[in-house]
Amino acid sequence: MRPASATIDLDAFRHNLARVRALAPRSRIVAVVKANGYGHGAARLVPAMAAAEMLGVACLEEALALRDAGAQQPILLMEGTFEPAELATCAAEGLEIAVHHAEQVRMLEVARLPRPLVVWLKIDTGMHRLGVAPPEARALHARLSACRSVAGVRLMTHFASADLPDPQSTEAQLACFAALDLPGERSLANSAGVLAWPQAHADWVRPGIMLYGVSPLPGTSGAAHGLRPVMTLATRLIALRDIPAGEAVGYAGAWTAPRPTRVGTAAIGYGDGYPRHAPSGTPVLVDGHEVPLIGRVSMDMITVDLTDRPEAKLGDPVILWGDGLPAERIAAAAGTIAYELLCGVTGRVHTRVVGA
Ligand SMILES: *Cc1c(COP(=O)(O)O)cnc(C)c1O
């Protein structure tokens, strides 16, 4: 069996959820598990989600997959429904929906549902991606409140820059949301909001990335916030060779040995979700010791410089991110964010669940 594997630690997920609880003790938690649980496999995380009062996903398909896997709590479709036919299923399955557009209000008004839905009126307080403009909110809130398909109206908004050191835009979003003189439970905070904006915790927090042990705040890793990585992406060394100075390694000879070099080859590549743009120097853990990636990332393999680790041998465990090597560091090296790395792990990587 090819050794590329992702270990998913359910105890780490439970620990991170408890950490959110400690940080936002007066709020209930919508655990955000969209995009297949940020690439961890939403279904396999279900037993670890039990302490969350609600789950948050991007669409009906993701919610139904969670129900199939045994998730019992209400599930929030954070972009609402995409077509009217989905509303009846939402009602039958105990789903709650965001309403971010007048057209979705109209769909509810003409729907005949087996039972009414809790809806979250999503307000565009400044991100300008999704949500109704604040001046329209009052009229839409009134229509929803009067609609027989609606069991209750809550309010939500989403931050554009809660992770950035400059507080201005988040302060403006907070003020805009606070100025809405409308009844209903409220939710604003993503992970960055949970960590950096306690005044935004409100009735419900909506953490995503921090549940997976990753920090949303630039320049910090999850451990600094008391979080534990849920995914560890690992493989093994499958080849070793010694090359003289001046020899080039891998596709396009993109890296040339400045000294006689021991090259290790590990069975992981962009076909597994390791970022192709990770440059030479990106840290890799071989048998617990950091060594630099060298040369281009291939589809199935990477090469590392083992010259300073003469003990390294065939079959040694290699960690790409997770336990002992935060995904945040790999993301920074590769010019991306850890969210993208976690979501990008592909189906051919074997998965092992621990802490069940
Ligand atoms: C993805 C998402 C979240 C979670 O964001 P994180 O940065 O992962 O914590 C919260 N709310 C909404 C609406 C989202 O789309």
Side-chain angles (χ1 to χ4, degrees):
M1 190 171 94
R2 186 163 175 267
S5 73
T7 300
I8 306 298
D9 183 347
L10 298 188
D11 280 335
F13 190 94
R14 290 186 188 96
H15 167 89
N16 298 334
L17 194 54
R19 186 80 192 110
V20 173
R21 185 78 67 200
L23 286 161
R26 281 177 292 280
S27 308
R28 279 163 287 164
I29 300 174
V30 182
V32 177
V33 295
K34 62 195 180 191
N36 198 23
Y38 287 45
H40 293 62
R44 62 174 69 96
L45 292 174
V46 162
M49 298 172 188
E53 287 87 356
M54 197 178 301
L55 307 176
V57 297
C59 59
L60 179 60
E61 297 90 315
E62 293 180 344
L64 294 180
L66 286 165
R67 280 281 177 267
D68 284 347
Q72 314 254 323
Q73 348 27 0
I75 304 176
L76 170 59
L77 308 189
M78 296 189 299
E79 291 157 41
T81 49
F82 295 88
E83 40 187 299
E86 296 177 348
L87 287 171
T89 314
C90 291
E93 296 290 340
L95 311 183
E96 305 190 3
I97 60 171
V99 169
H100 61 78
H101 199 281
E103 179 57 23
Q104 291 176 319
V105 177
R106 204 191 55 79
M107 284 185 204
L108 280 161
E109 286 170 337
V110 301
R112 295 279 174 275
L113 301 182
R115 60 186 168 112
L117 293 172
V118 173
V119 304
W120 294 71
L121 183 59
K122 190 162 186 169
I123 314 291
D124 176 11
T125 55
M127 185 171 180
H128 304 324
R129 183 181 67 177
L130 217 57
V132 304
E136 296 168 21
R138 177 169 298 283
L140 293 174
H141 193 282
R143 279 172 63 188
L144 287 169
S145 302
C147 177
R148 104 190 88 176
S149 298
V150 172
V153 187
R154 295 169 170 170
L155 298 167
M156 67 185 290
T157 194
H158 193 51
F159 291 135
S161 310
D163 55 327
L164 299 185
D166 177 7
Q168 248 182 15
S169 93
T170 304
E171 278 165 1
Q173 287 194 263
L174 271 166
C176 176
F177 199 62
L180 294 167
D181 182 21
L182 295 170
E185 292 179 7
R186 293 177 177 229
S187 177
L188 307 85
N190 54 3
S191 296
V194 170
L195 288 167
W197 294 90
Q199 64 274 53
H201 289 174
D203 300 297
W204 294 84
V205 290
R206 302 191 312 274
I209 195 72
M210 70 186 293
L211 295 177
Y212 307 93
V214 169
S215 170
L217 307 179
T220 70
S221 66
H225 305 290
L227 303 170
R228 282 166 47 191
V230 175
M231 179 196 292
T232 295
L233 183 66
T235 187
R236 291 188 181 276
L237 281 183
I238 59 166
L240 290 162
R241 76 200 64 244
D242 292 297
I243 60 169
E247 286 293 306
V249 173
Y251 282 122
W255 186 87
T256 302
R259 58 178 178 172
T261 295
R262 173 157 293 182
V263 179
T265 304
I268 196 104
Y270 64 81
D272 304 293
Y274 191 82
R276 200 182 78 86
H277 295 291
S280 292
T282 301
V284 175
L285 277 188
V286 173
D287 199 21
H289 298 271
E290 254 183 51
V291 298
L293 180 82
I294 53 175
R296 292 252 171 102
V297 171
S298 305
M299 188 183 290
D300 314 310
M301 287 171 275
I302 58 169
T303 39
V304 295
D305 183 350
L306 295 174
T307 315
D308 297 328
R309 285 293 306 160
E311 312 85 334
K313 56 188 186 308
L314 222 54
D316 272 357
V318 175
I319 288 179
L320 291 314
W321 62 68
D323 213 2
L325 184 58
E328 294 90 319
R329 281 185 65 195
I330 311 308
T336 182
I337 53 176
Y339 297 73
E340 189 183 31
L341 297 183
L342 298 178
C343 287
V345 174
T346 64
R348 77 168 170 175
V349 174
H350 305 289
T351 307
R352 206 163 63 89
V353 176
V354 298

